[in-house]
Structures are given as C-alpha cells and as structure tokens.
Amino acid sequence: VTSIASCVGMLPPGSGLLAEPPFRAPHHTISAAALVGGGGAAPRPGEVTRAHRGVLFADEITEFRRDALESLRQPLEEGRIAVARTRGHAVLPGRFILVAAANPCPCGFAGDPKRLCECTPMERQRYRARLSGPIRDRIDLQVTVPRQRAGELLRADVIAESSAEVRERVVAARERQQTRRPRGPLNGALTGTQLRHDAVLDRPSRALLEVAAERLHLSGRAVHRVLRVARTIADLGGSIDVDQSHVAEALQYRESG
Amino acid sequence: MLTTVLARALSGTLFGLEGVRVEVEADIADGLPGFHIVGLGDRALQEARERVKIAINNSGFQFPGRRVTVNLAPAQLPKEGTAFDLAMAAAIVNAADDRSLPQDEAWLGELALDGAVRPIRGTLAIAAHLDRLGVQRLYVPAANVAEARIATAAPVVGIQHLRDLKSYWEEGAPLPAQEPTEPPPASTTAVAVDLADIRGQAHAKRALEIAAAGAHHLLLVGPPGAGKTFPESCRRWVTSSRSR
C-alpha cells in the first residue's frame, strides 16, 4: 500500500517496494487542497495521503490556514479522506502520525519561568484558538517543551539514551500490538470496541480515569484517546494489563493542552 | 476498397489512487490528413498528438498520411497524463498495417520525440488493476518494470524505445519478458541526529517514543529555540523501525 509513492511520482525509478515509512513536512502556507488532496478535475492525493503509514510533521501548526487545519479532522479520526471534485470523488487512504509543533503564544514565552511573555491575554487567547478544540481533542499526546538552561545544554557528561535503545523498545511494543491483533490497527487507531477488549481497566485505574475525566472535562473521544495511550505505555513497559500508573502517565499528556 | 481500418490497444490510468482500464482505439480513414484524440483527455493528452506522431516517425515507422482518430474508452471518464502514449502508438502503427493487437496485453508509457519510452506515474496501481482483469502480458517503460512486477504475476516487458517493438509487430517475434530479479529496496535515508545528542527534554522524548510505538498524534508546545523541531530530525529514525 505504501507505494502510493508511485502514483504521485515519488518513487525513484527502478526501485521496488519502499522499506521506509514516509515523512512529510508541508510548509504552513499549504492550502487545504494540497494537504488533503484536490486537483483540478480528478481527485489527486495530497500530503495526507503521501504520509500514509508514516509521519506528517506540521511545524508551527498555529500558522497553518484555518481551512487547511480543519480539513485534517477526518483523516485524524478515520485514517482516510474523502475528496470530492467536479469530475468524481475518491476516498484516499491517510493513516498518518501527526506530529505538530507550536509556540504557546505569539511572542513565544508564555509559561516560561525566566522570560516574561509580552502578549496581552487577548492575543494569547486568540493564538491558542487557532488550534481549534476539535483538532486539539484529536491529538493524543500534548507536551510542553521548556527552554533548556545553557548550563544544561553544554553539560557533556550526562549520557542520554540513544535512538537505538529507544527504537528497540518501540519495536518490541509494536510486536506486542501485532501479536494481540495480527491484522488489526496499532493502538492509536483502535476502535472503541477493540479498545474495550484490549485495554481492560482494573478498579483503581478506572476510578482514576473517571475522576480525571470529570476534572479535566474530557470528551468521550478524549477519554478513548487516553485509554489508547495508556495501552501503548503498557506495551512499552511489557505489561499485559493496563494499570493505574499507565493511565496516570497517559493523563499527563492531556493536561498541558 | 477498404477505406477504414481500426486497431485496439489496452492501457490504463489512475483515478485517485485506483487503476482504471482504458481501451485505446485508433481508426484510420480516408480524408484530409489529421490526428484527433477524443475521450475527455486533458491538455497533456491533446499534446500527445505531437509526441506520438513524431515518435512514430522517428522509430522506423510511418505515421499514416490519412485521417487518424484515437478514442479513449470509457469515453465519459476524464483522463489525464501521458501514460497512453505507448498504447496510442501501438494502435496507430498496427491499424496502419491492418493488424490487430492481442486484447490481453496492455501498454503503458510516455513517448519522447525520438521514440524513447519514459517512465510514468502510478505503474504499480495500474498494473495491479490490469492484473485483476486478467491481462496476460504487460509492456511498461523499462524504468517501471520493478514496480509493475510487484503488482502482477503476468510477464512484464520493459520497453526502452518504440523501435524495439518493430520486430514484434511486423514479424510477430515476441519480446522476452525481463527475468524476475529481486528489486533493489528503495534507498534508506541516513539520519544524522541521535536521540542521545538531544540534551534534556526527557518528557518530550518519552512522548515521542509513545507516539512512535502506538501511532499516536503528538503536539509539542514551547518557546522559540527550545527544540520542538529538533526531535523531528530523529523522528524519522524512530519510525523507520516499522516495515511495510
């Protein structure tokens, strides 16, 4: 399936199956048609479809055009996109991992411990609103990346984990998902029914999730997303069941949004 | 006296990401010399008239000096692109010599003016579709052979130049299909940044790991220069763990 590349002319001549998932990073001035697919008369795949089974990276997501961003709703939820054009319509695949980056406010320093944010509350609010609730709601993991102190940056003695180590865990987690559902989706795309089956909560973790949902005003969809993330965290830890610590970590990635 | 001759060649195009079967019919009739293409073609297809005509003349064939009409069926489906060039040339050359083409063979490829066959987009999807329809032999641009072979078990013949087809059409000597070779895997990109090179940001890295493991969406929020974009450079690396 990944050789969608062939249709959009991205396959290098003479090559066989692609071994590497796609990575697409459209610029934020992209139009809705280019993002989800459009074209003159016949439907033509856009960035969403090119990123199928890979990563769609949206840097400065708040700078994207409103209509382009909102057009991501369907693929984010369903993994495909229906494109209607004058001369017929097509449903194109588009199951990607969205990785987005944004500033917290126009000047960029809201929430920074050292530097004062120069924006008015109004400006901040308007800026945040560019990433609409429905889109925000569909993003499983929301993380604040603080600025690093120079001292921290220059310290050479701390050895962080290498990509290879992390990758090993990721591969193992993926394998666990595959054993559970040999043909099924990865955790991020599990349906509600599948989720109820795969991520059974014990009593304390259920209570935790209920309280958190209440306090954070989580939507039904958001609760499901937390569950999916918790399932993945459990897989990364090699655990068969989803327990309280997994749910707690998954919830962390909701609050900052 | 026979005043009109007809030949058909099978081809295909893309609609969305699906292959579609297209039948190319060429009719040669008495009348003012001319070349017409009907069947809802786009601009690239209208320009195919020049490409196909010149390519035929430059490959040791003779473009008929009569009224040539090419129809692309189904006629109501809008068609675009250059993948029909080879099929058009096949239909015209064989109509001119009053031969018919096997209807279980299909032709894909764009023609250069000198008759060379250029690669097209979507060979894989089109070949897969033609395979389902029971096509027994596929003629594709040499550069698209590996792709086509993924999609079909039928023999795939890579064509470098329109001239290569002369002996097949005029003497019936079949062209050999390329030996199935293991296609070279598409190149993998080397990634310069390692997660270990990123200072701090343990939280973000962990989120990245979770996103990669379970295919979750991820949003990073932070001040300029904090390194939100940085994880992206190694992002590729983490996800390349999965095949398919």
Side-chain angles (χ1 to χ4, degrees), chain A residues 162-234:
Chain A
S162 74
S163 290
E165 293 168 66
V166 176
R167 181 177 166 164
E168 233 164 72
R169 276 205 304 274
V170 169
V171 172
R174 290 226 165 170
E175 270 164 12
R176 243 167 253 127
Q177 295 170 55
Q178 226 137 52
T179 350
R180 202 161 51 229
R181 296 200 171 270
R183 305 192 50 90
L186 291 166
N187 291 339
L190 288 174
T191 65
T193 330
Q194 291 170 332
L195 198 58
R196 263 196 297 284
H197 186 265
D198 289 355
V200 185
L201 296 178
D202 52 16
R203 191 165 300 178
S205 43
R206 181 186 306 242
L208 171 69
L209 187 54
E210 271 170 24
V211 171
E214 189 67 33
R215 198 162 299 160
L216 297 169
H217 307 292
L218 293 181
S219 71
R221 174 163 45 218
V223 170
H224 272 143
R225 293 205 170 259
V226 170
L227 263 180
R228 291 189 191 114
V229 174
R231 178 66 261 179
T232 302
I233 295 171

Coordinates of all heavy atoms in Angstrom, one line a residue, chain A residues 162-234:
Chain A
S162 N 20.3 6.4 23.6 CA 20.5 6.6 22.1 C 19.2 6.1 21.4 O 18.4 5.4 21.9 CB 21.6 5.7 21.6 OG 21.3 4.4 21.6
S163 N 19.1 6.5 20.1 CA 18.0 6.2 19.3 C 17.8 4.7 19.3 O 16.7 4.1 19.3 CB 18.1 6.7 17.9 OG 18.0 8.1 17.9
A164 N 18.9 4.0 19.2 CA 18.9 2.5 19.0 C 18.2 1.9 20.2 O 17.4 1.0 20.0 CB 20.3 2.0 18.9
E165 N 18.5 2.4 21.4 CA 17.8 1.8 22.6 C 16.3 2.1 22.6 O 15.5 1.2 22.8 CB 18.4 2.4 23.9 CG 19.9 2.0 24.1 CD 20.5 2.8 25.2 OE1 20.1 2.7 26.4 OE2 21.4 3.7 24.9
V166 N 16.0 3.3 22.3 CA 14.6 3.6 22.3 C 13.8 2.8 21.2 O 12.8 2.3 21.4 CB 14.4 5.1 22.0 CG1 12.9 5.5 21.8 CG2 15.0 6.0 23.1
R167 N 14.5 2.7 20.1 CA 13.9 2.0 19.0 C 13.6 0.6 19.3 O 12.6 0.0 18.9 CB 14.9 2.1 17.8 CG 14.4 1.4 16.6 CD 15.4 1.6 15.5 NE 15.2 0.7 14.4 CZ 15.7 0.9 13.2 NH1 16.5 1.9 12.9 NH2 15.4 0.1 12.2
E168 N 14.5 0.0 20.1 CA 14.3 -1.4 20.5 C 13.0 -1.5 21.2 O 12.2 -2.5 21.0 CB 15.5 -1.8 21.4 CG 16.2 -3.1 20.9 CD 17.5 -3.3 21.6 OE1 17.5 -3.5 22.9 OE2 18.5 -3.1 21.0
R169 N 12.8 -0.6 22.2 CA 11.5 -0.7 22.9 C 10.3 -0.5 22.0 O 9.3 -1.1 22.2 CB 11.5 0.4 24.0 CG 12.2 0.0 25.3 CD 11.7 0.9 26.4 NE 11.8 2.3 26.2 CZ 12.9 3.0 26.5 NH1 14.0 2.4 27.0 NH2 12.9 4.3 26.3
V170 N 10.5 0.5 21.1 CA 9.4 0.8 20.2 C 9.0 -0.5 19.3 O 7.9 -0.9 19.2 CB 9.7 1.9 19.2 CG1 8.7 2.1 18.1 CG2 9.8 3.2 20.0
V171 N 10.1 -1.1 18.9 CA 9.8 -2.3 18.0 C 9.2 -3.4 18.9 O 8.2 -4.1 18.4 CB 11.2 -2.9 17.5 CG1 11.0 -4.2 16.8 CG2 11.7 -1.9 16.5
A172 N 9.6 -3.6 20.1 CA 9.0 -4.6 21.0 C 7.6 -4.3 21.2 O 6.7 -5.2 21.2 CB 9.8 -4.6 22.3
A173 N 7.3 -3.0 21.5 CA 5.9 -2.6 21.7 C 5.0 -2.8 20.5 O 3.9 -3.3 20.6 CB 5.9 -1.1 22.1
R174 N 5.6 -2.6 19.4 CA 4.8 -2.8 18.1 C 4.5 -4.3 18.0 O 3.5 -4.7 17.5 CB 5.6 -2.3 16.9 CG 5.6 -0.8 16.9 CD 5.3 -0.3 15.6 NE 5.0 1.2 15.7 CZ 4.9 2.0 14.7 NH1 4.9 1.5 13.5 NH2 4.6 3.2 14.9
E175 N 5.6 -5.1 18.3 CA 5.4 -6.5 18.2 C 4.3 -7.0 19.1 O 3.5 -7.9 18.7 CB 6.7 -7.3 18.5 CG 7.5 -7.4 17.2 CD 8.9 -7.8 17.5 OE1 9.2 -8.1 18.7 OE2 9.8 -7.7 16.6
R176 N 4.2 -6.5 20.3 CA 3.2 -6.9 21.2 C 1.8 -6.5 20.7 O 0.9 -7.3 20.8 CB 3.4 -6.1 22.6 CG 3.7 -7.1 23.7 CD 4.2 -6.4 24.9 NE 5.7 -6.7 25.1 CZ 6.6 -5.8 25.2 NH1 6.3 -4.5 25.2 NH2 7.8 -6.2 25.3
Q177 N 1.7 -5.4 20.1 CA 0.4 -5.0 19.5 C 0.1 -5.9 18.4 O -1.1 -6.2 18.2 CB 0.5 -3.5 19.0 CG 0.7 -2.5 20.0 CD 1.0 -1.1 19.4 OE1 0.3 -0.6 18.6 NE2 2.1 -0.5 19.9
Q178 N 1.1 -6.3 17.6 CA 0.8 -7.2 16.5 C 0.4 -8.6 16.9 O -0.5 -9.2 16.3 CB 2.0 -7.3 15.6 CG 1.7 -7.1 14.2 CD 2.7 -6.2 13.5 OE1 3.9 -6.4 13.6 NE2 2.3 -5.2 12.8
T179 N 0.9 -9.1 18.0 CA 0.5 -10.4 18.5 C -0.9 -10.3 19.0 O -1.7 -11.2 18.8 CB 1.4 -10.8 19.7 OG1 2.5 -10.0 19.8 CG2 1.9 -12.2 19.5
R180 N -1.3 -9.2 19.5 CA -2.6 -9.1 20.0 C -3.6 -9.0 18.9 O -4.7 -9.6 18.9 CB -2.7 -7.8 20.9 CG -3.9 -7.8 21.9 CD -3.7 -6.9 23.0 NE -3.4 -5.5 22.5 CZ -2.3 -4.8 22.9 NH1 -1.6 -5.3 23.9 NH2 -2.1 -3.6 22.4
R181 N -3.3 -8.2 17.9 CA -4.1 -8.0 16.7 C -3.3 -8.2 15.5 O -2.8 -7.2 14.9 CB -4.8 -6.6 16.7 CG -5.7 -6.4 17.9 CD -6.7 -5.3 17.7 NE -7.7 -5.3 18.7 CZ -8.8 -6.0 18.7 NH1 -9.1 -6.7 17.6 NH2 -9.6 -6.0 19.7
P182 N -3.1 -9.4 15.0 CA -2.2 -9.7 13.9 C -2.5 -8.9 12.7 O -1.6 -8.5 12.0 CB -2.4 -11.2 13.6 CG -3.0 -11.7 14.9 CD -3.8 -10.6 15.5
R183 N -3.7 -8.6 12.4 CA -4.0 -7.8 11.2 C -4.6 -6.4 11.5 O -4.9 -5.6 10.7 CB -5.1 -8.6 10.3 CG -4.6 -10.0 9.9 CD -5.5 -10.5 8.9 NE -5.6 -9.6 7.8 CZ -4.8 -9.6 6.7 NH1 -3.8 -10.4 6.6 NH2 -5.0 -8.7 5.7
G184 N -4.8 -6.2 12.8 CA -5.5 -5.1 13.3 C -4.7 -3.8 13.3 O -3.5 -3.8 13.0
P185 N -5.3 -2.7 13.7 CA -4.6 -1.4 13.7 C -3.6 -1.3 14.9 O -3.7 -2.1 15.8 CB -5.7 -0.4 13.9 CG -6.8 -1.2 14.6 CD -6.7 -2.6 14.2
L186 N -2.7 -0.4 14.9 CA -1.9 -0.1 16.1 C -2.8 0.6 17.1 O -3.9 1.1 16.7 CB -0.8 0.8 15.6 CG 0.3 0.1 14.8 CD1 1.2 1.2 14.1 CD2 1.1 -0.8 15.6
N187 N -2.3 0.8 18.3 CA -3.1 1.3 19.4 C -3.8 2.6 19.0 O -4.9 2.9 19.4 CB -2.3 1.5 20.6 CG -1.9 0.1 21.2 OD1 -2.5 -0.9 20.9 ND2 -0.8 0.1 22.0
G188 N -3.1 3.5 18.3 CA -3.6 4.8 18.0 C -4.8 4.8 17.2 O -5.6 5.8 17.2
A189 N -5.1 3.7 16.6 CA -6.3 3.6 15.7 C -7.3 2.6 16.1 O -8.2 2.2 15.3 CB -5.8 3.3 14.2
L190 N -7.2 2.1 17.3 CA -8.1 1.1 17.8 C -9.5 1.7 17.8 O -9.7 2.9 18.2 CB -7.8 0.6 19.2 CG -6.5 -0.3 19.3 CD1 -6.3 -0.5 20.8 CD2 -6.8 -1.6 18.6
T191 N -10.5 0.9 17.5 CA -11.9 1.4 17.6 C -12.4 1.2 19.0 O -11.7 0.6 19.8 CB -12.9 0.6 16.7 OG1 -12.9 -0.7 17.2 CG2 -12.4 0.6 15.3
G192 N -13.5 1.9 19.4 CA -14.0 1.8 20.7 C -14.2 0.4 21.2 O -13.8 0.0 22.3
T193 N -14.7 -0.5 20.4 CA -15.0 -1.8 20.8 C -13.7 -2.6 21.0 O -13.5 -3.3 22.0 CB -15.8 -2.6 19.7 OG1 -16.6 -1.6 19.0 CG2 -16.6 -3.7 20.2
Q194 N -12.8 -2.4 20.1 CA -11.5 -3.1 20.2 C -10.8 -2.6 21.5 O -10.1 -3.4 22.2 CB -10.6 -2.8 19.0 CG -11.1 -3.4 17.7 CD -10.3 -2.9 16.5 OE1 -9.8 -1.7 16.5 NE2 -10.2 -3.7 15.5
L195 N -10.9 -1.3 21.8 CA -10.3 -0.7 22.9 C -10.8 -1.3 24.2 O -10.1 -1.7 25.1 CB -10.5 0.8 22.9 CG -9.6 1.6 23.7 CD1 -8.2 1.4 23.4 CD2 -10.0 3.1 23.5
R196 N -12.2 -1.5 24.3 CA -12.8 -2.1 25.5 C -12.2 -3.5 25.7 O -12.1 -3.9 26.8 CB -14.3 -2.2 25.3 CG -15.0 -1.0 26.0 CD -16.5 -1.3 26.1 NE -17.2 -1.5 24.9 CZ -17.5 -0.4 24.1 NH1 -17.2 0.8 24.4 NH2 -18.1 -0.6 22.9
H197 N -11.9 -4.2 24.6 CA -11.4 -5.5 24.7 C -9.9 -5.5 25.1 O -9.5 -6.4 25.9 CB -11.6 -6.2 23.4 CG -11.3 -7.7 23.4 ND1 -10.0 -8.1 23.0 CD2 -12.0 -8.8 23.8 CE1 -10.0 -9.4 23.2 NE2 -11.1 -9.8 23.7
D198 N -9.1 -4.6 24.5 CA -7.7 -4.7 24.7 C -7.2 -4.0 25.9 O -6.1 -4.3 26.5 CB -7.0 -4.1 23.5 CG -7.1 -5.0 22.3 OD1 -7.7 -6.1 22.4 OD2 -6.7 -4.6 21.2
A199 N -7.9 -2.9 26.3 CA -7.4 -2.2 27.5 C -8.4 -2.3 28.6 O -9.2 -1.3 28.9 CB -7.2 -0.7 27.1
V200 N -8.5 -3.4 29.3 CA -9.4 -3.6 30.4 C -8.8 -3.0 31.6 O -7.6 -3.3 32.0 CB -9.6 -5.1 30.6 CG1 -10.7 -5.3 31.7 CG2 -10.1 -5.8 29.3
L201 N -9.5 -2.1 32.3 CA -9.0 -1.4 33.4 C -9.4 -2.2 34.7 O -10.5 -2.7 34.8 CB -9.5 0.0 33.5 CG -9.1 0.9 32.3 CD1 -9.8 2.3 32.5 CD2 -7.6 1.0 32.3
D202 N -8.5 -2.1 35.7 CA -8.9 -2.6 37.0 C -9.6 -1.5 37.7 O -9.7 -0.4 37.2 CB -7.7 -3.2 37.8 CG -6.6 -2.1 37.8 OD1 -6.8 -1.0 37.5 OD2 -5.4 -2.5 38.2
R203 N -10.1 -1.8 38.9 CA -11.0 -0.8 39.6 C -10.3 0.5 39.9 O -10.8 1.5 39.6 CB -11.6 -1.4 40.9 CG -12.7 -0.5 41.4 CD -13.5 -1.2 42.4 NE -14.2 -2.4 41.8 CZ -15.0 -3.2 42.5 NH1 -15.2 -3.0 43.8 NH2 -15.6 -4.3 42.0
P204 N -9.1 0.4 40.5 CA -8.4 1.7 40.8 C -8.1 2.6 39.6 O -8.3 3.8 39.6 CB -7.1 1.4 41.6 CG -7.0 -0.1 41.4 CD -8.3 -0.7 41.1
S205 N -7.7 2.0 38.5 CA -7.4 2.8 37.4 C -8.6 3.3 36.7 O -8.6 4.5 36.2 CB -6.6 2.0 36.3 OG -7.1 0.7 36.2
R206 N -9.7 2.6 36.8 CA -11.0 3.1 36.3 C -11.4 4.3 37.1 O -11.8 5.3 36.5 CB -12.1 2.0 36.3 CG -13.4 2.5 35.8 CD -14.4 1.4 36.0 NE -14.0 0.1 35.5 CZ -14.6 -0.5 34.5 NH1 -15.7 0.0 33.9 NH2 -14.1 -1.7 34.1
A207 N -11.3 4.2 38.4 CA -11.7 5.3 39.2 C -10.9 6.5 38.9 O -11.4 7.6 38.8 CB -11.5 4.9 40.7
L208 N -9.6 6.3 38.7 CA -8.7 7.4 38.4 C -9.1 8.1 37.1 O -9.2 9.3 37.1 CB -7.2 6.9 38.3 CG -6.2 7.8 37.7 CD1 -5.9 8.9 38.8 CD2 -4.9 7.1 37.4
L209 N -9.4 7.3 36.1 CA -9.8 7.9 34.8 C -11.1 8.7 34.9 O -11.2 9.7 34.4 CB -9.9 6.8 33.8 CG -10.1 7.2 32.4 CD1 -9.0 8.2 31.9 CD2 -10.1 6.0 31.4
E210 N -12.0 8.1 35.7 CA -13.3 8.8 35.9 C -13.1 10.1 36.5 O -13.7 11.1 36.1 CB -14.2 7.9 36.7 CG -15.0 6.9 35.8 CD -15.8 5.9 36.7 OE1 -16.1 6.2 37.9 OE2 -16.1 4.8 36.1
V211 N -12.4 10.1 37.6 CA -12.1 11.4 38.3 C -11.5 12.4 37.4 O -11.9 13.6 37.3 CB -11.3 11.2 39.6 CG1 -10.9 12.5 40.2 CG2 -12.1 10.3 40.6
A212 N -10.4 11.9 36.7 CA -9.7 12.8 35.8 C -10.6 13.4 34.7 O -10.5 14.6 34.4 CB -8.5 12.1 35.2
A213 N -11.4 12.5 34.1 CA -12.3 13.0 33.0 C -13.2 14.0 33.5 O -13.5 15.0 32.8 CB -13.0 11.8 32.5
E214 N -13.7 13.8 34.7 CA -14.6 14.8 35.3 C -13.9 16.1 35.5 O -14.4 17.2 35.1 CB -15.1 14.2 36.7 CG -16.2 15.0 37.3 CD -17.5 14.9 36.5 OE1 -17.7 13.8 35.9 OE2 -18.2 15.9 36.5
R215 N -12.7 16.1 36.1 CA -12.0 17.3 36.5 C -11.5 18.0 35.2 O -11.4 19.3 35.2 CB -10.8 17.0 37.4 CG -10.4 18.2 38.2 CD -9.6 17.8 39.4 NE -10.3 17.0 40.4 CZ -9.8 16.2 41.3 NH1 -8.5 16.1 41.4 NH2 -10.5 15.6 42.2
L216 N -11.0 17.3 34.2 CA -10.4 17.9 33.1 C -11.5 18.2 32.0 O -11.1 18.6 30.9 CB -9.3 17.1 32.5 CG -8.1 16.8 33.4 CD1 -7.2 15.7 32.8 CD2 -7.3 18.1 33.6
H217 N -12.7 17.8 32.3 CA -13.8 18.0 31.3 C -13.4 17.3 30.0 O -13.4 17.9 28.9 CB -14.1 19.4 31.0 CG -14.4 20.2 32.2 ND1 -15.5 20.0 33.0 CD2 -13.7 21.2 32.9 CE1 -15.5 20.8 34.1 NE2 -14.4 21.5 34.0
L218 N -13.0 16.0 30.1 CA -12.6 15.3 28.9 C -13.8 14.9 28.1 O -14.8 14.4 28.7 CB -11.7 14.1 29.2 CG -10.4 14.4 29.8 CD1 -9.7 13.1 30.1 CD2 -9.5 15.2 28.9
S219 N -13.7 15.0 26.8 CA -14.8 14.5 26.0 C -14.7 12.9 25.9 O -13.7 12.3 26.3 CB -14.7 15.1 24.6 OG -13.6 14.5 23.9
G220 N -15.8 12.4 25.4 CA -15.8 10.9 25.2 C -14.6 10.5 24.4 O -13.9 9.5 24.7
R221 N -14.4 11.2 23.3 CA -13.3 10.9 22.4 C -12.0 11.0 23.1 O -11.1 10.1 23.0 CB -13.3 11.8 21.2 CG -12.1 11.6 20.3 CD -12.2 12.1 19.0 NE -12.8 13.5 19.0 CZ -13.6 13.9 18.1 NH1 -14.0 13.2 17.1 NH2 -14.1 15.2 18.2
A222 N -11.8 12.1 24.0 CA -10.6 12.3 24.7 C -10.3 11.1 25.6 O -9.2 10.6 25.8 CB -10.6 13.6 25.4
V223 N -11.4 10.6 26.3 CA -11.2 9.5 27.2 C -10.7 8.3 26.5 O -9.8 7.6 26.9 CB -12.5 9.2 27.9 CG1 -12.4 7.9 28.7 CG2 -12.9 10.3 28.9
H224 N -11.2 8.1 25.3 CA -10.8 6.9 24.5 C -9.3 7.1 24.1 O -8.5 6.2 24.1 CB -11.6 6.8 23.2 CG -12.8 6.0 23.4 ND1 -14.0 6.2 22.8 CD2 -13.0 4.9 24.2 CE1 -14.9 5.3 23.2 NE2 -14.3 4.5 24.0
R225 N -9.0 8.3 23.8 CA -7.6 8.6 23.4 C -6.6 8.3 24.6 O -5.5 7.8 24.4 CB -7.4 10.0 22.8 CG -8.2 10.1 21.5 CD -7.7 11.2 20.6 NE -8.3 11.1 19.3 CZ -7.7 10.5 18.2 NH1 -6.5 10.0 18.3 NH2 -8.4 10.4 17.1
V226 N -7.0 8.8 25.7 CA -6.2 8.5 26.9 C -6.0 7.0 27.1 O -4.9 6.5 27.3 CB -6.8 9.1 28.2 CG1 -6.1 8.6 29.4 CG2 -6.8 10.6 28.1
L227 N -7.1 6.3 26.9 CA -7.0 4.8 27.0 C -6.0 4.2 26.0 O -5.2 3.3 26.3 CB -8.4 4.2 26.8 CG -9.2 3.9 28.0 CD1 -10.5 3.3 27.7 CD2 -8.4 2.9 28.9
R228 N -6.1 4.7 24.8 CA -5.2 4.2 23.8 C -3.7 4.4 24.1 O -2.9 3.5 24.0 CB -5.5 4.8 22.4 CG -6.8 4.4 21.8 CD -7.0 4.9 20.4 NE -8.4 4.7 20.0 CZ -9.2 5.7 19.7 NH1 -8.8 7.0 19.8 NH2 -10.4 5.4 19.4
V229 N -3.5 5.6 24.6 CA -2.1 6.0 25.0 C -1.7 5.1 26.2 O -0.6 4.6 26.2 CB -2.0 7.5 25.4 CG1 -0.6 7.8 25.9 CG2 -2.3 8.3 24.2
A230 N -2.6 4.9 27.1 CA -2.3 4.0 28.3 C -1.9 2.6 27.8 O -1.0 2.0 28.3 CB -3.5 4.0 29.3
R231 N -2.7 2.2 26.8 CA -2.4 0.8 26.3 C -1.0 0.8 25.7 O -0.2 -0.2 25.9 CB -3.4 0.5 25.2 CG -3.3 -0.8 24.4 CD -3.5 -2.0 25.3 NE -2.3 -2.5 25.8 CZ -2.2 -3.6 26.6 NH1 -3.2 -4.2 27.1 NH2 -1.0 -4.1 26.9
T232 N -0.6 1.8 25.0 CA 0.7 1.9 24.4 C 1.8 1.9 25.5 O 2.9 1.2 25.4 CB 0.9 3.1 23.5 OG1 -0.1 3.0 22.5 CG2 2.3 3.1 22.8
I233 N 1.6 2.7 26.5 CA 2.6 2.8 27.6 C 2.7 1.5 28.2 O 3.9 1.0 28.5 CB 2.1 3.9 28.6 CG1 2.1 5.3 28.0 CG2 3.0 3.9 29.8 CD1 1.5 6.4 28.8
A234 N 1.6 0.7 28.4 CA 1.7 -0.6 29.0 C 2.5 -1.5 28.1 O 3.3 -2.3 28.5 CB 0.3 -1.2 29.2

